[in-house]
Amino acid sequence: MIMIRQSFTNLRQNPLLSIISIAGTAFAITMIMSIVITWQTKYADFAPEVNRSRSLYVMAMHIYNEKNHNQQSYSLASPAFLKECVLPLKGIEAATAFSGTSGALVSLTDGGNRLKVDRKLTDAGFWKVFEPRFLEGRGFGEEECVGSAKGVVVAASVARKLFGKTEVIGQQMLLNRESVRIVGVVEDVSVAAKDAYAQVWAPYHPDMRQATNVWSYMSDMNIAMVAKSAADFPAIREELSKRVEAVNAGLGDLKIDIMEQPDNIVTHVNHVWCNVGPDLTMLYLQYILALFIILLVPSLNLCGLSSSRMQQRMAELGVRKAFGGTKWVLVRQILNENLFLTLLGGVAGLLLSYLSVYLMREWLFTNSGNVGTSGEFSLSMSVLFSPWVFLLAFAFCVVINLMSAALPAWLAARRPIVESLNDK
């Protein structure tokens, strides 16, 4: 309480310096926490992509002729690869193949209420890998992939636009002029959920799982598999490599190559090109350099402000030393008082970071996979208000406090008593 009262006293005595100090801290925390929240949204677990931390992904597929290196092709994976190489793996709980989103037309069976939606093709395993919140019904099963029984899942917003309500289980609609039956309605998924996002989820044709030749392993799908634990990743990668070798043994001169996949979530999100993997070292260096600069520059400016405040309090510090205050006691007191101002700036900065991420959400989370989509870039409350976010914000406040106040406090505390008392 004494420290807080002293901090408020200093705030009243030096309002301009204190406000500048709080604003400088708020700006630094805003920038830092915007980076942290963006990282969390892209790579951390949040609904419906609740298994990111223990998921592996295969996106790219390379087919080559081992005798003629000029004959090679790069593309995405296929449901046939899922069936032959992924589903037999012992170390996974679930797996799915899914396409990117593409535009599609839906309407009532009489052609009314026509809408353009973002459609994703997938399979029954999708609902085990990803967990959108069902408002009505369930995900489609293996028996609902073809014919008159073909089932689809729609977002709540699509159901409301088509039927005026979300209680539409069993209703027929047209999807690209094909009659389908609605088996589930889910809460709208944020476009920030890169892999799970769509407005209509429909099954791909089961024939896509049939491996008739080497080219059957190449299509336009991503594959996701959920491990029991992230600790199982090395074993799953090794087992998958053996499955690929077994498949290649029966393919003749043409071989399939998964190019060091499967990827973890960070590699997967940044895996843009089929023939070139992401440079994760450069990615991490960019983040570290950005955080370092954002911490260093405001800290140097705040260090100057702290020196100015120390200069004004030299006589006070001299009196404290004269009555027995040691250098470490004075340094600790100054750091504690400065930490209070830093925390005020940190709270303001954290609130501003939420605002800035929200206002810039489309720019921050737009990528090659969601350009032109119709959905909303809503942000997950579980990510924004994660305990890790608050702990990191506090940690950065402590770091800024130490970087900006430690040196001025030490220099002020080690001055002789006489010089401090005579300072004007």
Side-chain angles (χ1 to χ4, degrees):
M1 290 299 296
I2 296 177
M3 182 268 290
I4 295 177
R5 286 199 299 270
Q6 182 64 42
S7 298
F8 275 115
T9 300
N10 294 332
L11 187 62
R12 289 194 299 269
Q13 290 176 347
N14 302 284
L16 180 60
L17 291 179
S18 298
I19 290 173
I20 293 174
S21 177
I22 292 172
T25 303
F27 175 77
I29 294 296
T30 298
M31 297 295 291
I32 292 169
M33 295 314 299
S34 295
I35 293 175
V36 170
I37 292 170
T38 302
W39 178 278
Q40 288 277 98
T41 302
K42 285 184 175 181
Y43 307 120
D45 296 344
F46 80 91
E49 298 183 1
V50 295
N51 296 314
R52 283 175 170 178
S53 59
R54 55 190 187 100
S55 291
L56 289 171
Y57 305 84
V58 176
M59 182 195 80
M61 186 63 61
H62 176 212
I63 294 178
Y64 67 98
N65 190 321
E66 62 179 355
K67 293 183 177 179
N68 179 8
H69 295 295
N70 292 323
Q71 183 183 1
Q72 57 180 326
S73 180
Y74 294 89
S75 188
L76 300 182
S78 73
F81 181 80
L82 171 72
K83 178 183 176 182
E84 298 296 328
C85 296
V86 177
L87 290 178
L89 298 178
K90 298 177 181 178
I92 64 173
E93 291 183 350
T96 182
F98 56 93
S99 69
T101 56
S102 59
L105 287 176
V106 297
S107 67
L108 300 176
T109 52
D110 62 0
N113 288 357
R114 185 175 297 178
L115 298 173
K116 182 179 181 295
V117 298
D118 296 323
R119 181 196 62 174
K120 184 182 291 290
L121 297 178
T122 185
D123 51 46
F126 186 88
W127 315 109
K128 299 177 183 178
V129 174
F130 305 106
E131 298 182 12
R133 190 167 79 88
F134 277 87
L135 304 179
E136 300 286 338
R138 52 174 175 75
F140 49 78
E142 298 288 351
E143 70 283 357
E144 298 168 313
C145 293
V146 291
S148 59
K150 185 174 181 179
V152 298
V153 174
V154 301
S157 59
V158 173
R160 292 190 187 99
K161 290 176 183 177
L162 279 178
F163 300 97
K165 58 184 180 179
T166 58
E167 297 80 11
V168 294
I169 302 305
Q171 295 276 8
Q172 297 287 132
M173 73 175 193
L174 297 181
L175 174 61
N176 286 342
R177 299 182 179 180
E178 177 187 9
S179 180
V180 295
R181 183 170 57 90
I182 299 174
V183 298
V185 179
V186 299
E187 188 177 76
D188 282 34
V189 175
S190 171
V191 179
K194 175 179 179 290
D195 296 321
Y197 167 75
Q199 293 174 310
V200 174
W201 295 261
Y204 54 74
H205 199 282
D207 288 349
M208 295 183 71
R209 287 197 175 190
Q210 302 306 313
T212 56
N213 56 52
V214 67
W215 302 106
S216 301
Y217 296 102
M218 185 176 282
S219 183
D220 59 352
M221 299 278 181
N222 286 264
I223 291 172
M225 62 197 86
V226 179
K228 296 176 182 177
S229 167
D232 297 329
F233 285 179
I236 292 173
R237 289 189 174 102
E238 183 179 355
E239 189 180 0
L240 180 58
S241 178
K242 291 179 180 179
R243 291 294 307 173
V244 171
E245 289 177 6
V247 168
N248 278 335
L251 293 179
D253 293 339
L254 292 175
K255 307 294 182 183
I256 61 175
D257 173 25
I258 58 174
M259 299 171 290
E260 300 182 356
Q261 297 175 101
D263 299 329
N264 62 20
I265 182 61
V266 178
T267 308
H268 169 63
V269 170
N270 293 281
H271 201 153
V272 178
W273 306 106
C274 291
N275 59 336
V276 181
D279 187 348
L280 291 186
T281 301
M282 182 57 66
L283 174 70
Y284 291 131
L285 284 176
Q286 289 173 348
Y287 271 97
I288 292 171
L289 183 61
L291 290 175
F292 177 75
I293 292 175
I294 294 172
L295 279 172
L296 180 63
V297 174
S299 295
L300 291 176
N301 292 328
L302 293 174
C303 186
L305 293 176
S306 297
S307 296
S308 298
R309 287 204 302 270
M310 292 304 100
Q311 194 67 32
Q312 295 175 2
R313 298 179 60 188
M314 278 300 172
E316 174 197 338
L317 296 177
V319 171
R320 290 175 181 267
K321 290 180 71 175
F323 280 90
T326 65
K327 287 185 290 186
W328 290 112
V329 170
L330 295 179
V331 168
R332 187 170 66 250
Q333 178 187 346
I334 294 169
L335 289 177
N336 288 340
E337 293 171 2
N338 197 73
L339 178 61
F340 179 76
L341 296 179
T342 306
L343 289 177
L344 290 179
V347 171
L350 186 60
L351 295 176
L352 286 173
S353 69
Y354 290 147
L355 179 62
S356 62
V357 170
Y358 177 79
L359 294 177
M360 298 188 296
R361 62 193 184 282
E362 292 192 25
W363 176 73
L364 289 171
F365 303 117
T366 296
N367 55 56
S368 58
N370 59 32
V371 173
T373 51
S374 305
E376 294 291 330
F377 285 84
S378 57
L379 299 177
S380 168
M381 293 299 102
S382 63
V383 171
L384 292 179
F385 298 100
S386 165
W388 285 108
V389 171
F390 292 111
L391 288 175
L392 285 172
F394 176 75
F396 283 122
C397 286
V398 173
V399 171
I400 290 176
N401 178 53
L402 292 175
M403 292 178 68
S404 63
L407 181 60
W410 173 250
L411 293 176
R414 66 190 297 268
R415 289 188 65 178
I417 295 177
V418 176
E419 287 186 19
S420 298
L421 291 174
N422 290 329
D423 193 275
K424 296 182 180 180

